[in-house]
PDB file of all heavy atoms in Angstrom:
ATOM      1  N   VAL B 170      15.614  -1.724 -29.238  1.00  0.00           N
ATOM      2  CA  VAL B 170      16.305  -3.000 -29.406  1.00  0.00           C
ATOM      3  C   VAL B 170      15.346  -4.046 -29.970  1.00  0.00           C
ATOM      4  O   VAL B 170      14.233  -4.212 -29.442  1.00  0.00           O
ATOM      5  CB  VAL B 170      16.870  -3.514 -28.064  1.00  0.00           C
ATOM      6  CG1 VAL B 170      17.583  -4.846 -28.243  1.00  0.00           C
ATOM      7  CG2 VAL B 170      17.807  -2.485 -27.441  1.00  0.00           C
ATOM      8  N   ASP B 201      20.673 -18.351 -39.290  1.00  0.00           N
ATOM      9  CA  ASP B 201      19.724 -18.846 -40.302  1.00  0.00           C
ATOM     10  C   ASP B 201      18.321 -18.312 -40.074  1.00  0.00           C
ATOM     11  O   ASP B 201      17.526 -18.185 -41.002  1.00  0.00           O
ATOM     12  CB  ASP B 201      19.666 -20.376 -40.270  1.00  0.00           C
ATOM     13  CG  ASP B 201      20.934 -21.023 -40.845  1.00  0.00           C
ATOM     14  OD1 ASP B 201      21.703 -20.289 -41.509  1.00  0.00           O
ATOM     15  OD2 ASP B 201      21.136 -22.222 -40.625  1.00  0.00           O
ATOM     16  N   SER B 202      17.993 -18.008 -38.810  1.00  0.00           N
ATOM     17  CA  SER B 202      16.638 -17.556 -38.491  1.00  0.00           C
ATOM     18  C   SER B 202      16.412 -16.077 -38.819  1.00  0.00           C
ATOM     19  O   SER B 202      15.271 -15.589 -38.760  1.00  0.00           O
ATOM     20  CB  SER B 202      16.330 -17.804 -37.008  1.00  0.00           C
ATOM     21  OG  SER B 202      16.990 -16.857 -36.183  1.00  0.00           O
ATOM     22  N   GLY B 218      26.495 -16.199 -21.539  1.00  0.00           N
ATOM     23  CA  GLY B 218      26.098 -16.632 -20.201  1.00  0.00           C
ATOM     24  C   GLY B 218      26.459 -18.079 -19.988  1.00  0.00           C
ATOM     25  O   GLY B 218      26.058 -18.945 -20.752  1.00  0.00           O
ATOM     26  N   ASN B 250      25.571 -15.421 -13.612  1.00  0.00           N
ATOM     27  CA  ASN B 250      24.673 -15.211 -12.474  1.00  0.00           C
ATOM     28  C   ASN B 250      23.991 -16.532 -12.168  1.00  0.00           C
ATOM     29  O   ASN B 250      22.764 -16.609 -12.077  1.00  0.00           O
ATOM     30  CB  ASN B 250      23.650 -14.100 -12.750  1.00  0.00           C
ATOM     31  CG  ASN B 250      23.979 -12.828 -11.976  1.00  0.00           C
ATOM     32  OD1 ASN B 250      24.596 -12.898 -10.898  1.00  0.00           O
ATOM     33  ND2 ASN B 250      23.596 -11.683 -12.480  1.00  0.00           N
ATOM     34  N   GLY B 277      24.367 -14.992 -25.890  1.00  0.00           N
ATOM     35  CA  GLY B 277      24.437 -16.445 -25.994  1.00  0.00           C
ATOM     36  C   GLY B 277      24.464 -17.082 -24.622  1.00  0.00           C
ATOM     37  O   GLY B 277      24.658 -16.417 -23.609  1.00  0.00           O
ATOM     38  N   GLY B 287      27.363 -38.352 -10.705  1.00  0.00           N
ATOM     39  CA  GLY B 287      27.146 -38.562  -9.287  1.00  0.00           C
ATOM     40  C   GLY B 287      27.484 -37.391  -8.395  1.00  0.00           C
ATOM     41  O   GLY B 287      26.911 -36.301  -8.519  1.00  0.00           O
ATOM     42  N   LEU B 294      25.798 -28.465  -8.652  1.00  0.00           N
ATOM     43  CA  LEU B 294      24.465 -27.890  -8.482  1.00  0.00           C
ATOM     44  C   LEU B 294      24.387 -27.160  -7.155  1.00  0.00           C
ATOM     45  O   LEU B 294      23.713 -26.152  -7.020  1.00  0.00           O
ATOM     46  CB  LEU B 294      23.410 -28.977  -8.577  1.00  0.00           C
ATOM     47  CG  LEU B 294      23.241 -29.511  -9.991  1.00  0.00           C
ATOM     48  CD1 LEU B 294      22.198 -30.607 -10.017  1.00  0.00           C
ATOM     49  CD2 LEU B 294      22.845 -28.391 -10.951  1.00  0.00           C
ATOM     50  N   GLY B 312      16.777 -29.145  -1.966  1.00  0.00           N
ATOM     51  CA  GLY B 312      16.376 -28.917  -0.577  1.00  0.00           C
ATOM     52  C   GLY B 312      15.981 -27.484  -0.314  1.00  0.00           C
ATOM     53  O   GLY B 312      15.077 -27.196   0.488  1.00  0.00           O
ATOM     54  N   HIS B 348      13.062 -29.519 -29.742  1.00  0.00           N
ATOM     55  CA  HIS B 348      14.356 -29.293 -29.096  1.00  0.00           C
ATOM     56  C   HIS B 348      14.363 -29.659 -27.611  1.00  0.00           C
ATOM     57  O   HIS B 348      15.377 -29.472 -26.936  1.00  0.00           O
ATOM     58  CB  HIS B 348      14.753 -27.819 -29.226  1.00  0.00           C
ATOM     59  CG  HIS B 348      14.920 -27.380 -30.645  1.00  0.00           C
ATOM     60  ND1 HIS B 348      15.869 -27.929 -31.469  1.00  0.00           N
ATOM     61  CD2 HIS B 348      14.260 -26.447 -31.395  1.00  0.00           C
ATOM     62  CE1 HIS B 348      15.785 -27.348 -32.674  1.00  0.00           C
ATOM     63  NE2 HIS B 348      14.821 -26.461 -32.641  1.00  0.00           N
ATOM     64  N   ALA B 349      13.243 -30.179 -27.092  1.00  0.00           N
ATOM     65  CA  ALA B 349      13.138 -30.446 -25.648  1.00  0.00           C
ATOM     66  C   ALA B 349      13.929 -31.681 -25.235  1.00  0.00           C
ATOM     67  O   ALA B 349      14.092 -32.624 -26.004  1.00  0.00           O
ATOM     68  CB  ALA B 349      11.680 -30.585 -25.250  1.00  0.00           C
ATOM     69  N   ASP B 368      11.610 -33.843   0.142  1.00  0.00           N
ATOM     70  CA  ASP B 368      10.208 -33.680   0.512  1.00  0.00           C
ATOM     71  C   ASP B 368       9.842 -32.220   0.754  1.00  0.00           C
ATOM     72  O   ASP B 368      10.574 -31.529   1.481  1.00  0.00           O
ATOM     73  CB  ASP B 368       9.930 -34.499   1.790  1.00  0.00           C
ATOM     74  CG  ASP B 368       8.447 -34.496   2.159  1.00  0.00           C
ATOM     75  OD1 ASP B 368       7.673 -35.113   1.415  1.00  0.00           O
ATOM     76  OD2 ASP B 368       8.094 -33.834   3.164  1.00  0.00           O
ATOM     77  N   PRO B 400       9.406  -7.968 -36.894  1.00  0.00           N
ATOM     78  CA  PRO B 400      10.319  -7.713 -35.763  1.00  0.00           C
ATOM     79  C   PRO B 400       9.745  -8.109 -34.414  1.00  0.00           C
ATOM     80  O   PRO B 400       8.534  -8.125 -34.222  1.00  0.00           O
ATOM     81  CB  PRO B 400      10.519  -6.212 -35.818  1.00  0.00           C
ATOM     82  CG  PRO B 400       9.215  -5.706 -36.328  1.00  0.00           C
ATOM     83  CD  PRO B 400       8.729  -6.736 -37.321  1.00  0.00           C
ATOM     84  N   GLY B 439       6.546   0.239 -19.860  1.00  0.00           N
ATOM     85  CA  GLY B 439       5.324   1.035 -19.709  1.00  0.00           C
ATOM     86  C   GLY B 439       4.072   0.183 -19.637  1.00  0.00           C
ATOM     87  O   GLY B 439       3.011   0.594 -20.148  1.00  0.00           O
ATOM     88  N   TYR B 476      -4.649 -20.656  -9.371  1.00  0.00           N
ATOM     89  CA  TYR B 476      -4.469 -20.051 -10.699  1.00  0.00           C
ATOM     90  C   TYR B 476      -4.101 -21.116 -11.728  1.00  0.00           C
ATOM     91  O   TYR B 476      -4.692 -21.170 -12.816  1.00  0.00           O
ATOM     92  CB  TYR B 476      -3.383 -18.970 -10.611  1.00  0.00           C
ATOM     93  CG  TYR B 476      -3.237 -18.113 -11.838  1.00  0.00           C
ATOM     94  CD1 TYR B 476      -4.263 -17.255 -12.241  1.00  0.00           C
ATOM     95  CD2 TYR B 476      -2.063 -18.140 -12.593  1.00  0.00           C
ATOM     96  CE1 TYR B 476      -4.125 -16.444 -13.357  1.00  0.00           C
ATOM     97  CE2 TYR B 476      -1.914 -17.321 -13.714  1.00  0.00           C
ATOM     98  CZ  TYR B 476      -2.947 -16.488 -14.091  1.00  0.00           C
ATOM     99  OH  TYR B 476      -2.803 -15.685 -15.205  1.00  0.00           O
ATOM    100  N   ASP B 485      -4.296 -22.733 -24.096  1.00  0.00           N
ATOM    101  CA  ASP B 485      -5.524 -22.044 -24.485  1.00  0.00           C
ATOM    102  C   ASP B 485      -6.086 -21.187 -23.359  1.00  0.00           C
ATOM    103  O   ASP B 485      -7.235 -20.722 -23.436  1.00  0.00           O
ATOM    104  CB  ASP B 485      -6.575 -23.060 -24.953  1.00  0.00           C
ATOM    105  CG  ASP B 485      -6.909 -24.069 -23.841  1.00  0.00           C
ATOM    106  OD1 ASP B 485      -6.256 -24.033 -22.773  1.00  0.00           O
ATOM    107  OD2 ASP B 485      -7.818 -24.898 -24.040  1.00  0.00           O
ATOM    108  N   LEU B 492       5.155 -22.414 -22.776  1.00  0.00           N
ATOM    109  CA  LEU B 492       4.726 -23.100 -23.993  1.00  0.00           C
ATOM    110  C   LEU B 492       5.841 -23.986 -24.557  1.00  0.00           C
ATOM    111  O   LEU B 492       5.587 -24.966 -25.247  1.00  0.00           O
ATOM    112  CB  LEU B 492       4.288 -22.078 -25.043  1.00  0.00           C
ATOM    113  CG  LEU B 492       2.938 -21.379 -24.781  1.00  0.00           C
ATOM    114  CD1 LEU B 492       2.819 -20.108 -25.617  1.00  0.00           C
ATOM    115  CD2 LEU B 492       1.792 -22.343 -25.064  1.00  0.00           C
ATOM    116  N   LEU B 496      11.726 -25.303 -18.121  1.00  0.00           N
ATOM    117  CA  LEU B 496      12.922 -26.027 -17.698  1.00  0.00           C
ATOM    118  C   LEU B 496      12.576 -27.492 -17.431  1.00  0.00           C
ATOM    119  O   LEU B 496      13.392 -28.393 -17.646  1.00  0.00           O
ATOM    120  CB  LEU B 496      13.517 -25.408 -16.441  1.00  0.00           C
ATOM    121  CG  LEU B 496      14.284 -24.084 -16.569  1.00  0.00           C
ATOM    122  CD1 LEU B 496      13.436 -22.963 -17.113  1.00  0.00           C
ATOM    123  CD2 LEU B 496      14.941 -23.691 -15.258  1.00  0.00           C
ATOM    124  N   LEU B 534       6.915 -12.422 -22.042  1.00  0.00           N
ATOM    125  CA  LEU B 534       7.849 -12.121 -20.944  1.00  0.00           C
ATOM    126  C   LEU B 534       8.733 -13.332 -20.687  1.00  0.00           C
ATOM    127  O   LEU B 534       8.291 -14.473 -20.783  1.00  0.00           O
ATOM    128  CB  LEU B 534       7.040 -11.771 -19.684  1.00  0.00           C
ATOM    129  CG  LEU B 534       7.795 -11.535 -18.373  1.00  0.00           C
ATOM    130  CD1 LEU B 534       7.072 -10.461 -17.537  1.00  0.00           C
ATOM    131  CD2 LEU B 534       7.942 -12.808 -17.539  1.00  0.00           C
ATOM    132  N   THR B 535      10.001 -13.064 -20.361  1.00  0.00           N
ATOM    133  CA  THR B 535      10.893 -14.134 -19.884  1.00  0.00           C
ATOM    134  C   THR B 535      11.354 -13.801 -18.471  1.00  0.00           C
ATOM    135  O   THR B 535      11.594 -12.635 -18.134  1.00  0.00           O
ATOM    136  CB  THR B 535      12.136 -14.301 -20.785  1.00  0.00           C
ATOM    137  OG1 THR B 535      12.837 -13.049 -20.911  1.00  0.00           O
ATOM    138  CG2 THR B 535      11.727 -14.788 -22.176  1.00  0.00           C
ATOM    139  N   TYR B 550       8.756  -8.456 -24.326  1.00  0.00           N
ATOM    140  CA  TYR B 550       8.896  -8.448 -25.782  1.00  0.00           C
ATOM    141  C   TYR B 550       7.541  -8.143 -26.418  1.00  0.00           C
ATOM    142  O   TYR B 550       6.509  -8.637 -25.962  1.00  0.00           O
ATOM    143  CB  TYR B 550       9.328  -9.831 -26.295  1.00  0.00           C
ATOM    144  CG  TYR B 550      10.479 -10.472 -25.564  1.00  0.00           C
ATOM    145  CD1 TYR B 550      10.303 -10.983 -24.273  1.00  0.00           C
ATOM    146  CD2 TYR B 550      11.736 -10.608 -26.159  1.00  0.00           C
ATOM    147  CE1 TYR B 550      11.355 -11.590 -23.584  1.00  0.00           C
ATOM    148  CE2 TYR B 550      12.781 -11.228 -25.490  1.00  0.00           C
ATOM    149  CZ  TYR B 550      12.590 -11.701 -24.207  1.00  0.00           C
ATOM    150  OH  TYR B 550      13.630 -12.308 -23.544  1.00  0.00           O
TER     151      TYR B 550
END
Side-chain angles (χ1 to χ4, degrees):
Chain B
V170 180
D201 288 345
S202 75
N250 253 332
L294 289 179
H348 298 298
D368 186 69
Y476 189 66
D485 59 354
L492 287 162
L496 285 61
L534 175 147
T535 55
Y550 312 72

